[in-house]
Amino acid sequence: MNAPLGRRALAEAVGSAALVAVVVGSGIQATRLTADVGVQLLADSLATVLGLGVLITLLGPVSGAHFNPVVTLAAWFTDRRTPGGLTLRDAAAYLSAQTAGAVAGAVLADAMFGRPLVRWSTHDRSAGHLWLGELVATAGLVLLVFGLARTGRSRSAPFAVASYIGAAYWFTSSTAFANPAVTVGRAFTDTFAGIAPSSVGPFVVAQAAGAVIGLGLVSAVFAAPGPVPTAAAPVVDEAEPSAPARS
């Protein structure tokens, strides 16, 4: 990634905005087309998988397509002593761009469907089993992204990361947000994919813990360190049914 920091940060902002717009917009569309919560989640997860794969493929060569603060911080931590690696200044710019982009994506999705541009979500997601789901989803994502990098298979990231997020929509109780920026963005929309502001903090803590565990698993499973991933991704984020929490 040789692009100037400003261009890379813009790519992260655009990618994060597009990702959240896909998650929120497909959730709104699904609830308008069917009352079946299972079908709604299926539609939302499929749209997220396809959109995420496209975004990583498109923007990976510019910024690495993190779209996710935990991936960015993990990349900085693992490569901070490597010449040409992500610097703390880079990481700060990425995190700001990702969060701003995620909020803009939620507002854009609401605007496209004629909804109030900013309405705090009332979808409470406060429960221990949901936090555990976030921890598991984020640990798996970090293990996948950095495991691919250590084995020299980062080119598989668009398909692999999108596939993992699609699966995690269904096998985690939280529907695998696995992304602090996306979690914050989704608090700005009172729709299927939303999360109440009061639920954001514990989700982010669980995601951070999951990232630490994921990095530990990378070190334990893969012997030799490798380059920072050139096509990481976030997660995701998705929406979900009313009982289990859902991107």
Side-chain angles (χ1 to χ4, degrees):
M1 295 177 290
N2 297 318
L5 178 57
R7 187 174 299 171
R8 286 183 280 140
L10 178 59
E12 286 295 302
V14 170
S16 299
L19 175 60
V20 174
V22 168
V23 172
V24 174
S26 61
I28 296 173
Q29 186 77 284
T31 56
R32 290 187 174 185
L33 295 176
T34 178
D36 187 313
V37 177
V39 175
Q40 292 170 358
L41 184 59
L42 177 61
D44 198 28
S45 61
L46 285 175
T48 301
V49 167
L50 296 173
L52 183 55
V54 168
L55 290 170
I56 297 173
T57 301
L58 176 64
L59 298 174
V62 180
S63 67
H66 296 185
F67 314 146
N68 189 331
V70 298
V71 172
T72 295
L73 289 174
W76 166 76
F77 181 80
T78 58
D79 208 39
R80 64 192 185 284
R81 296 187 180 91
T82 303
L86 204 66
T87 67
L88 192 57
R89 176 171 174 263
D90 294 336
Y94 273 39
L95 266 61
S96 298
Q98 291 158 357
T99 304
V103 173
V107 173
L108 175 61
D110 280 334
M112 287 192 292
F113 286 90
R115 300 180 59 88
L117 297 188
V118 175
R119 176 175 290 177
W120 296 116
S121 175
T122 56
H123 194 159
D124 181 70
R125 301 176 190 268
S126 299
H129 67 282
L130 302 181
W131 304 334
L132 177 59
E134 278 303 287
L135 185 150
V136 170
T138 309
L141 176 62
V142 170
L143 175 61
L144 172 62
V145 168
F146 291 88
L148 289 174
R150 284 204 172 188
T151 54
R153 294 179 296 167
S154 289
R155 289 187 178 182
S156 301
F159 169 78
V161 173
S163 297
Y164 173 78
I165 291 299
Y169 254 94
W170 292 90
F171 78 75
T172 64
S173 57
S174 63
T175 61
F177 285 44
N179 186 327
V182 169
T183 303
V184 170
R186 288 170 57 174
F188 284 75
T189 176
D190 192 18
T191 59
F192 180 73
I195 177 173
S198 60
S199 301
V200 169
F203 261 54
V204 172
V205 171
Q207 291 157 0
V212 172
I213 292 173
L215 281 179
L217 289 172
V218 171
S219 297
V221 174
F222 302 99
V228 172
T230 55
V235 91
V236 350
D237 217 347
E238 5 41 52
E240 59 92 37
S242 36
R246 98 97 296 173
S247 101

